[in-house]
Amino acid sequence: MSTINRQWQLASRPSGEPTAANFRLVEAPLPELADGEVLVRHHFLSLDPYMRGRMNDAKSYAQPQPLDAVMQGGTAGEVVASRNAEFAVGDKVVGMGGWQEYSVVGAAQRGMLRKVDTTHIPLSAYLGTVGMPGVTAWYGLNRIIAPKAGETVVVSASSGAVGTVVGQLAKIKGCRAVGLAGGPEKCAFVTDVLGFDACIDYRQHPDLKSLSAALKDACPQGIDGYFENVGGVTLDAVLQRMNAFGRIAVCGMIAGYNGAPIPLTQPQLILVSRLLVQGFIVSEHMDVWPQALAEIGALVAAGKLKYRESVAEGLASAPEAFFGMLKGRNFGKQLVRLV
Amino acid sequence: MSTINRQWQLASRPSGEPTAANFRLVEAPLPELADGEVLVRHHFLSLDPYMRGRMNDAKSYAQPQPLDAVMQGGTAGEVVASRNAEFAVGDKVVGMGGWQEYSVVGAAQRGMLRKVDTTHIPLSAYLGTVGMPGVTAWYGLNRIIAPKAGETVVVSASSGAVGTVVGQLAKIKGCRAVGLAGGPEKCAFVTDVLGFDACIDYRQHPDLKSLSAALKDACPQGIDGYFENVGGVTLDAVLQRMNAFGRIAVCGMIAGYNGAPIPLTQPQLILVSRLLVQGFIVSEHMDVWPQALAEIGALVAAGKLKYRESVAEGLASAPEAFFGMLKGRNFGKQLVRLV
């Protein structure tokens, strides 16, 4: 076993798009384990859009990512040393180990490390469909949109880690599921593999009028629920098509993460259509995680909930893979494989 | 008793600000009452911001006001003839009689006419605090904002028919109530007579930065609930000051009624602060009216809920009074007195 731990630190905060210069790859010695501690070797790092927001030093829902510290993020791996009776060498675990090869989890942080069963579910899925992104989809769909059978649910970034789950769960509930994705390949995956009723290639509809018309075609009965991941013109276009008493779960607004303005041009539609618009952060609703993960895990194990992963190879690839994800170059859940 | 009924009709739809040319004053004969019908002489007409929206021929929550028909709206008056056993001559009633001197209400429309007790509550109040505007305030505050004691509630148009009730009910619940109003006279009324903790003169803060700073001063603990009547820069500024898990009841966006764009510049704050933003129309929540009117009526009768009226004299004054209200020239509930 190595005694060196390589890690990505945040070297500086981005102005606009993040670049490689914002990150620094460093080597640190692995410490001796204290009593109660566990050493985890990471097999997969999770790359998620929320990390972009935390790179800014602005008011947000989370503390900013500290400078000169390892980039925070979800990880899946294996216990390689343990001085904690709850964890044995060889246990598969998920946690928040960050962008590094190893992490040490202390006894007081035990809630941060969770043993998982990889008999029927691959380890990497616990960072996506059977992890935070999946619970995010479950919460926004069930607790905010709360669709009835026959209603129409639209989700942006529909080939991504969250969007894939939103639309498939909506279909299981008897809804019409309509996705938005970038490019014909992703759209074909969303309809043909995931089983959405329709998917709009937003690149073919760069302006409000065109996108609004495409939504009208794809949603002949209007839109009852919208799962918002992107913001900008997409939100404007969806608002024009929302039915009375529609619900919008606001999960992300990736279009604004680099500081560009993303005005909502017709907020009066919230009144005209008597909409409910609600922002949420899944980590603030830990009470739903057990139920959500149980439901999602059973569906994945039964092959009824499909997903796709973009896997970058090796720790060195993490920043570039992250930039690509922010630009939509990933296709499914973005991971970095270390082992 | 007159046999002629003078009435204001909508002659044309406004482009931008409405003008006198959009209205037409006509005389119509009063019909003979059929069996089951009631003839009401209007003492007061209610002028309300929602009427502006209905003058447009656009998608909205209500059918547009028809052209060449009497302007629709709330009325309070007295039964002057009746062929209906439920109503006697001399009964004080409120209904939706429109901008005219008399209205005939049929047996099948009985839900449109409601007898009221003017022993402890003046007739005109049933068009304001103890009527639709009051229930609007009650619904948005209790069912959407749902504030806890100690929280801060902000309301725009706070000297108006709805805003006065929102802030006073919030105070009764133990909240800090902060108003927005136009000019020092209205602001003094809001704090000194109505008992709000603070009132911001928005005319002194025409830009986002200034208004946001004024809100910070007036709301040292941030904003937990916002009752939205105006839209535009006010909503932008409030969003910057909302606390996590804040609630915004969207009741009106008067700034956009003439078709001017009122973009919301930072919709991402809905996510950052995990806000709930909900539009509503009080006429779609008839189930709450009895409870709301009972609570509000008791408070008004006990002198614990204060209000103010702007009364224009005579039917001929209705359009000008309406234009003034849309520009904030009224001070309190805008009425037209006919008798």
PDB file of all heavy atoms in Angstrom, chain B residues 169-184:
ATOM      1  N   LEU B 169     -52.052  41.637  10.185  1.00  0.00           N
ATOM      2  CA  LEU B 169     -52.206  40.234  10.605  1.00  0.00           C
ATOM      3  C   LEU B 169     -50.853  39.651  11.008  1.00  0.00           C
ATOM      4  O   LEU B 169     -50.763  38.854  11.953  1.00  0.00           O
ATOM      5  CB  LEU B 169     -52.833  39.395   9.483  1.00  0.00           C
ATOM      6  CG  LEU B 169     -54.300  39.666   9.145  1.00  0.00           C
ATOM      7  CD1 LEU B 169     -54.763  38.712   8.037  1.00  0.00           C
ATOM      8  CD2 LEU B 169     -55.208  39.509  10.367  1.00  0.00           C
ATOM      9  N   ALA B 170     -49.796  40.037  10.293  1.00  0.00           N
ATOM     10  CA  ALA B 170     -48.454  39.543  10.654  1.00  0.00           C
ATOM     11  C   ALA B 170     -48.070  40.041  12.050  1.00  0.00           C
ATOM     12  O   ALA B 170     -47.511  39.289  12.857  1.00  0.00           O
ATOM     13  CB  ALA B 170     -47.427  39.987   9.615  1.00  0.00           C
ATOM     14  N   LYS B 171     -48.380  41.296  12.344  1.00  0.00           N
ATOM     15  CA  LYS B 171     -48.078  41.836  13.685  1.00  0.00           C
ATOM     16  C   LYS B 171     -48.846  41.064  14.759  1.00  0.00           C
ATOM     17  O   LYS B 171     -48.302  40.733  15.823  1.00  0.00           O
ATOM     18  CB  LYS B 171     -48.452  43.324  13.756  1.00  0.00           C
ATOM     19  CG  LYS B 171     -47.495  44.263  13.070  1.00  0.00           C
ATOM     20  CD  LYS B 171     -46.094  44.225  13.661  1.00  0.00           C
ATOM     21  CE  LYS B 171     -46.057  44.732  15.105  1.00  0.00           C
ATOM     22  NZ  LYS B 171     -44.665  44.618  15.651  1.00  0.00           N
ATOM     23  N   ILE B 172     -50.120  40.780  14.487  1.00  0.00           N
ATOM     24  CA  ILE B 172     -50.930  40.033  15.464  1.00  0.00           C
ATOM     25  C   ILE B 172     -50.319  38.660  15.715  1.00  0.00           C
ATOM     26  O   ILE B 172     -50.407  38.112  16.816  1.00  0.00           O
ATOM     27  CB  ILE B 172     -52.394  39.936  14.950  1.00  0.00           C
ATOM     28  CG1 ILE B 172     -53.048  41.317  15.037  1.00  0.00           C
ATOM     29  CG2 ILE B 172     -53.193  38.908  15.735  1.00  0.00           C
ATOM     30  CD1 ILE B 172     -54.383  41.438  14.306  1.00  0.00           C
ATOM     31  N   LYS B 173     -49.641  38.105  14.708  1.00  0.00           N
ATOM     32  CA  LYS B 173     -48.978  36.802  14.861  1.00  0.00           C
ATOM     33  C   LYS B 173     -47.614  36.910  15.532  1.00  0.00           C
ATOM     34  O   LYS B 173     -46.902  35.908  15.656  1.00  0.00           O
ATOM     35  CB  LYS B 173     -48.790  36.150  13.489  1.00  0.00           C
ATOM     36  CG  LYS B 173     -50.076  35.631  12.900  1.00  0.00           C
ATOM     37  CD  LYS B 173     -49.827  35.037  11.529  1.00  0.00           C
ATOM     38  CE  LYS B 173     -51.087  34.348  11.018  1.00  0.00           C
ATOM     39  NZ  LYS B 173     -51.470  33.176  11.816  1.00  0.00           N
ATOM     40  N   GLY B 174     -47.223  38.123  15.894  1.00  0.00           N
ATOM     41  CA  GLY B 174     -45.941  38.268  16.587  1.00  0.00           C
ATOM     42  C   GLY B 174     -44.749  38.407  15.668  1.00  0.00           C
ATOM     43  O   GLY B 174     -43.605  38.226  16.076  1.00  0.00           O
ATOM     44  N   CYS B 175     -44.995  38.763  14.415  1.00  0.00           N
ATOM     45  CA  CYS B 175     -43.905  38.943  13.449  1.00  0.00           C
ATOM     46  C   CYS B 175     -43.430  40.396  13.436  1.00  0.00           C
ATOM     47  O   CYS B 175     -44.127  41.300  13.891  1.00  0.00           O
ATOM     48  CB  CYS B 175     -44.382  38.595  12.038  1.00  0.00           C
ATOM     49  SG  CYS B 175     -44.905  36.882  11.868  1.00  0.00           S
ATOM     50  N   ARG B 176     -42.249  40.594  12.882  1.00  0.00           N
ATOM     51  CA  ARG B 176     -41.827  41.928  12.477  1.00  0.00           C
ATOM     52  C   ARG B 176     -42.446  42.185  11.103  1.00  0.00           C
ATOM     53  O   ARG B 176     -42.273  41.386  10.178  1.00  0.00           O
ATOM     54  CB  ARG B 176     -40.303  41.987  12.392  1.00  0.00           C
ATOM     55  CG  ARG B 176     -39.771  43.354  11.936  1.00  0.00           C
ATOM     56  CD  ARG B 176     -38.249  43.416  11.969  1.00  0.00           C
ATOM     57  NE  ARG B 176     -37.770  44.704  11.490  1.00  0.00           N
ATOM     58  CZ  ARG B 176     -37.707  45.808  12.240  1.00  0.00           C
ATOM     59  NH1 ARG B 176     -38.066  45.760  13.514  1.00  0.00           N
ATOM     60  NH2 ARG B 176     -37.286  46.956  11.723  1.00  0.00           N
ATOM     61  N   ALA B 177     -43.179  43.306  10.973  1.00  0.00           N
ATOM     62  CA  ALA B 177     -43.839  43.635   9.707  1.00  0.00           C
ATOM     63  C   ALA B 177     -43.173  44.864   9.101  1.00  0.00           C
ATOM     64  O   ALA B 177     -43.039  45.896   9.766  1.00  0.00           O
ATOM     65  CB  ALA B 177     -45.326  43.900   9.924  1.00  0.00           C
ATOM     66  N   VAL B 178     -42.748  44.736   7.853  1.00  0.00           N
ATOM     67  CA  VAL B 178     -42.077  45.835   7.153  1.00  0.00           C
ATOM     68  C   VAL B 178     -42.819  46.082   5.845  1.00  0.00           C
ATOM     69  O   VAL B 178     -43.046  45.150   5.070  1.00  0.00           O
ATOM     70  CB  VAL B 178     -40.596  45.494   6.893  1.00  0.00           C
ATOM     71  CG1 VAL B 178     -39.938  46.570   6.040  1.00  0.00           C
ATOM     72  CG2 VAL B 178     -39.858  45.310   8.218  1.00  0.00           C
ATOM     73  N   GLY B 179     -43.204  47.332   5.627  1.00  0.00           N
ATOM     74  CA  GLY B 179     -43.936  47.683   4.422  1.00  0.00           C
ATOM     75  C   GLY B 179     -43.080  48.411   3.409  1.00  0.00           C
ATOM     76  O   GLY B 179     -41.995  48.917   3.716  1.00  0.00           O
ATOM     77  N   LEU B 180     -43.580  48.458   2.192  1.00  0.00           N
ATOM     78  CA  LEU B 180     -43.047  49.320   1.137  1.00  0.00           C
ATOM     79  C   LEU B 180     -44.212  50.168   0.653  1.00  0.00           C
ATOM     80  O   LEU B 180     -45.312  49.645   0.435  1.00  0.00           O
ATOM     81  CB  LEU B 180     -42.494  48.491  -0.021  1.00  0.00           C
ATOM     82  CG  LEU B 180     -41.229  47.696   0.275  1.00  0.00           C
ATOM     83  CD1 LEU B 180     -41.210  46.406  -0.525  1.00  0.00           C
ATOM     84  CD2 LEU B 180     -39.997  48.533  -0.069  1.00  0.00           C
ATOM     85  N   ALA B 181     -44.003  51.460   0.519  1.00  0.00           N
ATOM     86  CA  ALA B 181     -45.071  52.335   0.048  1.00  0.00           C
ATOM     87  C   ALA B 181     -44.439  53.534  -0.632  1.00  0.00           C
ATOM     88  O   ALA B 181     -43.233  53.782  -0.492  1.00  0.00           O
ATOM     89  CB  ALA B 181     -45.968  52.777   1.206  1.00  0.00           C
ATOM     90  N   GLY B 182     -45.257  54.289  -1.374  1.00  0.00           N
ATOM     91  CA  GLY B 182     -44.747  55.409  -2.161  1.00  0.00           C
ATOM     92  C   GLY B 182     -44.995  56.744  -1.482  1.00  0.00           C
ATOM     93  O   GLY B 182     -46.120  57.233  -1.487  1.00  0.00           O
ATOM     94  N   GLY B 183     -43.958  57.328  -0.905  1.00  0.00           N
ATOM     95  CA  GLY B 183     -44.068  58.666  -0.326  1.00  0.00           C
ATOM     96  C   GLY B 183     -44.128  58.654   1.194  1.00  0.00           C
ATOM     97  O   GLY B 183     -44.549  57.683   1.814  1.00  0.00           O
ATOM     98  N   PRO B 184     -43.698  59.774   1.807  1.00  0.00           N
ATOM     99  CA  PRO B 184     -43.615  59.833   3.276  1.00  0.00           C
ATOM    100  C   PRO B 184     -44.976  59.768   3.966  1.00  0.00           C
ATOM    101  O   PRO B 184     -45.082  59.215   5.064  1.00  0.00           O
ATOM    102  CB  PRO B 184     -42.924  61.179   3.536  1.00  0.00           C
ATOM    103  CG  PRO B 184     -43.047  61.957   2.268  1.00  0.00           C
ATOM    104  CD  PRO B 184     -43.150  60.967   1.160  1.00  0.00           C
TER     105      PRO B 184
END
